Amino acid sequence: MPIPLIFEQNNPAIHCSHIPKSDIPDDVQGLPDDLRRQELDLPQVAEPEVMRHFVNLSTMNHHVDKGFYPLGSCTMKYNPKVNENISALPGFAGLHPYQPASTIQGALKMMLSLEEWLCEITGLPAVTLQPAAGSHGELTGMFLTQAYHLANGEHRKKVLIPDSSHGTNPASIVMAGFEPVHIPSNERGRIDIAALQNALKPDVAALMVTNPSTLGLFEDQIDEVAEAVHSIGALLYMDGANMNALMGLARPGDMGFDIVHLNLHKTFSTPHGGGGPGSGPVAVIAELEKFLPIPRIKVDGVENPDWDWDRPDSIGRVQSFFGNFSILVRAAAYIRSLGGEGFKNVSETAILNANYIRTRLMDIYKLPYNDLCMHEVVFSADNQSNDGLKAVNIAKRLLDFGIHAPTINFPLIVHEALMIEPTETETLGTLDNFIEVMRRIDQEVNETPEMLKNAPLKTPVFRLDEVMAARKLDVKYEG
Ligand SMILES: *Cc1c(COP(=O)(O)O)cnc(C)c1O
């Protein structure tokens, strides 16, 4: 049933607020007519109706607090509300970025602790909290790579990326002024070492690896890869947005990575989507520390942290002020509440959940790379191609069962990809229900293909033109 829109409930006899009459005379001098607002045509409704309007609106879209959200690569895990409460404490939320350092000692100490914990998790000695997103961390990492080679008097031009890498990787490489070069995957979905060796020429600045890859697979020859990359003086960069699979189990620094970005808003508990705010800290080896963005936080003895602007080798600022502070608070609270054992548990459960789905659906859905997966599993919808059906039809039909669609048609090296990331915060019951729904949709592929072409049938709006929705977004209400 359509939800009655508040704009259609206007009843001038009802008010939700009573604003005192203005005591400024109507004929007040000096205010030009064109700056005086006309009467706003707002509907008059009672307060309970306003409340219901917004609560109803909040349930029209899908979100992780409403239902299962296995959108691959996005790590849509449940975010504990205690982290929200802590980031909203007035001592954090009320700070102003221009306050003198002496008045924000607690905030600086929190940031120092977070840096230290992220160093521990990544196995690298220094970290910047400034970048505002994962892709922004990549760009920062590319600037650091550039600064490193320039300091050695070298103008290296190329950055290698496996064909299973995330879509933001080539974009960041190009934005930083490098040229991306693709390295093919082998039949096991891992970097083809022979192809890598061939591509490692003296003008290569770095290899950028998403690990685990977008196929949900761990790069199990990463030590060999690291050795090859370092042998020509290039740097090894890890896109660590998939760190939800590794925490407490393996550290990028120990694998030979020189630079790694993390997505705090994915792995470390911040509600995300819709464009932010996010946070993409970058951890580096000791040789790269001097290039990190300014300001850094310096500690005088054990006390009195202060901003350090005097860093001549720094790449400069990558963000106004000091990063998305409230996201840092959430991450710090999340890390403190879980601890080392907790993180190990997170990653092990994320991996277990993905493999549970993999083994319970692989008799029906095609599994192009049949191997133990990490935090996500990538199927192909090729077995469900009856009557021209595609991955998108399965994705849309899932919405009818109150389940968000998986990521589809990505990674590009899997035909009609269905990329499923259940995360660690889902119960066995939720996973079983998802598996049952996926098996039922597979039956519908043969029994009612026409219906699947029109799905979803139960959502507030039906099949959208997604290209138009993105390119010509129109959120205006017109009665
Ligand atoms: C999400 C993601 C990114 C980009 O992160 P944003 O914060 O959206 O910019 C990069 N790489 C991988 C593997 C990701 O999953």
Side-chain angles (χ1 to χ4, degrees):
M1 202 190 75
I3 294 167
L5 284 164
I6 200 159
F7 309 104
E8 288 157 6
Q9 297 179 47
N10 187 29
N11 181 349
I14 297 174
H15 293 274
C16 133
S17 60
H18 296 273
I19 299 169
K21 216 177 135 26
S22 169
D23 58 0
I24 300 171
D26 277 349
D27 59 351
V28 63
Q29 293 295 310
L31 197 58
D33 266 355
D34 59 342
L35 290 184
R36 297 180 73 162
R37 201 156 49 157
Q38 300 304 307
E39 199 57 46
L40 279 181
D41 193 18
L42 292 175
Q44 299 284 344
V45 280
E47 182 172 323
E49 304 313 315
V50 175
M51 195 66 204
R52 285 169 191 161
H53 169 70
F54 285 109
V55 170
N56 282 326
L57 272 189
S58 76
T59 63
M60 286 171 83
N61 217 337
H62 196 84
H63 46 96
V64 76
D65 290 345
K66 182 178 162 189
F68 187 37
Y69 207 135
L71 187 66
S73 212
C74 294
T75 314
M76 306 305 283
K77 58 164 105 179
Y78 175 76
N79 304 291
K81 296 298 169 261
V82 65
N83 304 327
E84 302 303 306
N85 297 343
I86 291 171
S87 81
L89 289 174
F92 288 129
L95 296 181
H96 192 282
Y98 281 136
Q99 269 178 249
S102 62
T103 68
I104 53 164
Q105 291 288 297
L108 290 173
K109 285 179 186 172
M110 184 281 293
M111 291 169 86
L112 276 172
S113 301
L114 180 59
E115 286 187 2
E116 192 184 306
W117 297 330
L118 296 179
C119 285
E120 176 66 29
I121 288 168
T122 55
L124 290 163
V127 68
T128 171
L129 302 174
Q130 234 180 77
S135 44
H136 194 199
E138 293 165 21
L139 184 65
T140 305
M142 287 297 101
F143 286 151
L144 295 170
T145 301
Q146 214 163 41
Y148 170 79
H149 289 302
L150 282 178
N152 292 336
E154 295 190 54
H155 291 266
R156 299 197 179 208
K157 291 200 187 66
K158 299 200 169 103
V159 175
L160 311 181
I161 31 171
D163 57 6
S164 63
S165 69
H166 193 263
T168 50
N169 294 182
S172 303
I173 290 167
V174 170
M175 278 188 77
F178 289 113
E179 186 190 320
V181 178
H182 277 102
I183 305 294
S185 301
N186 60 24
E187 69 290 343
R188 296 173 55 248
R190 305 325 202 276
I191 294 172
D192 186 325
I193 302 277
L196 173 67
Q197 295 280 13
N198 275 338
L200 284 173
K201 302 273 156 55
D203 62 343
V204 169
L207 168 70
M208 196 178 213
V209 183
T210 304
N211 194 25
S213 71
T214 56
L215 292 167
L217 301 175
F218 186 76
E219 286 293 349
D220 50 10
Q221 300 154 288
I222 196 64
D223 42 357
E224 233 177 293
V225 169
E227 204 179 310
V229 169
H230 289 148
S231 74
I232 60 141
L235 295 175
L236 188 59
Y237 182 102
M238 177 167 132
D239 175 336
N242 292 338
M243 199 67 193
N244 214 44
L246 299 181
M247 291 183 300
L249 302 176
R251 308 195 304 172
D254 300 337
M255 296 173 209
F257 284 100
D258 302 300
I259 313 176
V260 52
H261 86 256
L262 302 170
N263 277 44
L264 295 190
H265 48 291
K266 289 178 182 170
T267 317
F268 298 90
S269 172
T270 291
H272 58 288
S279 179
V282 175
V284 295
I285 52 171
E287 293 92 309
L288 294 173
E289 198 268 341
K290 62 179 177 180
F291 302 116
L292 289 177
I294 41 171
R296 303 273 300 147
I297 305 170
K298 68 174 173 203
V299 187
D300 188 4
V302 280
E303 282 301 309
N304 309 322
D306 197 357
W307 298 117
D308 183 4
W309 293 92
D310 183 20
R311 299 176 53 83
D313 294 314
S314 166
I315 59 168
R317 316 185 67 137
V318 295
Q319 148 94 316
S320 55
F321 303 119
F322 320 111
N324 278 335
F325 181 73
S326 82
I327 315 299
L328 306 181
V329 180
R330 286 174 173 87
Y334 184 64
I335 293 174
R336 274 305 288 267
S337 63
L338 282 176
E341 273 307 303
F343 272 118
K344 193 161 167 237
N345 212 318
V346 163
S347 291
E348 284 174 348
T349 311
I351 293 169
L352 187 64
N353 283 357
N355 279 290
Y356 183 71
I357 290 174
R358 181 178 64 84
T359 51
R360 296 267 329 262
L361 287 177
M362 61 188 275
D363 60 325
I364 293 181
Y365 288 89
K366 183 173 158 190
L367 189 62
Y369 297 95
N370 186 3
D371 199 348
L372 272 179
C373 64
M374 297 294 282
H375 63 303
E376 62 195 359
V377 54
V378 182
F379 292 105
S380 155
D382 277 354
N383 292 350
Q384 284 72 31
S385 62
N386 180 38
D387 207 7
L389 291 176
K390 291 172 182 287
V392 65
N393 301 98
I394 297 165
K396 295 291 183 192
R397 180 66 175 143
L398 277 167
L399 304 175
D400 281 334
F401 295 93
I403 295 171
H404 195 280
T407 297
I408 59 164
N409 301 331
F410 187 85
L412 302 175
I413 53 174
V414 171
H415 190 246
E416 293 298 324
L418 292 162
M419 186 199 218
I420 298 163
E421 180 182 9
T423 83
E424 74 282 5
T425 57
E426 301 300 333
T427 62
L428 184 58
T430 300
L431 301 184
D432 281 337
N433 178 58
F434 173 71
I435 288 159
E436 205 173 291
V437 168
M438 286 294 281
R439 298 185 81 90
R440 174 164 163 189
I441 294 174
D442 173 66
Q443 283 172 5
E444 292 174 349
V445 164
N446 295 314
E447 290 163 8
T448 49
E450 276 312 307
M451 182 270 286
L452 280 182
K453 283 177 194 168
N454 295 318
L457 308 170
K458 296 179 188 164
T459 44
V461 288
F462 303 134
R463 188 68 76 97
L464 293 173
D465 182 333
E466 285 164 6
V467 177
M468 288 292 274
R471 297 257 162 91
K472 289 192 134 189
L473 182 67
D474 180 4
V475 293
K476 210 163 67 250
Y477 171 77
E478 278 165 33

